[in-house]
Amino acid sequence: MSKLIVANWKMKLTVEEGLSLLKEASTFSDYKNDLVICPDFLILSQAKSILENTKIRLGAQNASISERGALTGEISAHDLKYLGVKYVIIGHSERRRIFKEGSSAINDKIQTALRVGLVPILCLGESLLERRSGRTRPVLSSQIKSSLKDIKVKRSGDLIIAYEPVWAIGSGKPMSHDEADKVQNYISDRALKLTGKRFRVLYGGSVAEDNAGKLLEQKHIDGLLVGGASLKADSLKSLLNA
Ligand code: PGA
């Protein structure tokens, strides 16, 4: 199975920069990994037409807990689907930390995304403090339990997990590929126990051109969730052949 690169552009590019990068990406050819781009919400409808005749799929960086309602400022998963979005990042550590998203909201968002037919990319990860106190596995186990509580999926492709050690995000210090491989194996087993499905598990956190290849060689790393290195055409392209 080919590996999956998910480009998380966060709120780092202007509308013009985002559109120009999408246009460049739409000219990429002959690459081996699959690509999902999660741009700014504001360019999603233009992204749909720019990427129309390409293999690139669209993702969103977040979605609301409900499909519709009195929820000022929220974005409906249903409308994302209408705009051509296939994947949605849920529970990114920036949303957990800055926007105080807790496990119950994350669980609701996953349920909603699944109901409307989007593939949730559930983000998990331990903080530096949790790592230093040797609590990485229990922390991940509890995040898996609460996020996937009562989640029912038909196929293992209906949901993706992204393991992103919080201390590795944007720090320039990724987890080593062999440690990431072991932790991801653990995550995959825990999720299998809980749901009966073996989901793909991506790694995220300071992925760069020079470490992507080694990470992708690992048995339990099914792809990469990439922030910084996905913001320039050259490095994005090189990740596709890593
Ligand atoms: P990074 O971000 O690749 O810039 O570390 C990853 C992420 O936050 O998804």
Side-chain angles (χ1 to χ4, degrees), residues 8 10 92 94 164 168-171 204-207 225-229:
N8 176 13
K10 309 193 181 187
H92 189 280
E94 287 151 15
E164 298 204 299
I169 296 176
S171 65
S206 294
V207 170
L225 177 53
V226 191

Side-chain angles (χ1 to χ4, degrees), residues 3 124 136-137 140 144 161-165 175-191 198-205 215 218-225:
K3 303 242 169 167
L124 310 167
T136 297
R137 280 171 172 71
L140 293 172
I144 293 167
I161 296 177
Y163 170 53
E164 298 204 299
M175 180 176 259
S176 72
H177 52 81
D178 42 353
E179 187 181 358
D181 190 49
K182 287 193 193 97
V183 181
Q184 306 216 170
N185 188 21
Y186 171 80
I187 290 173
S188 173
D189 284 350
R190 296 300 306 164
R198 174 81 69 191
F199 301 117
R200 278 190 284 181
V201 185
L202 316 180
Y203 168 81
L215 285 162
Q218 309 309 306
K219 183 165 175 226
H220 303 103
I221 299 185
D222 301 308
L224 303 169
L225 177 53

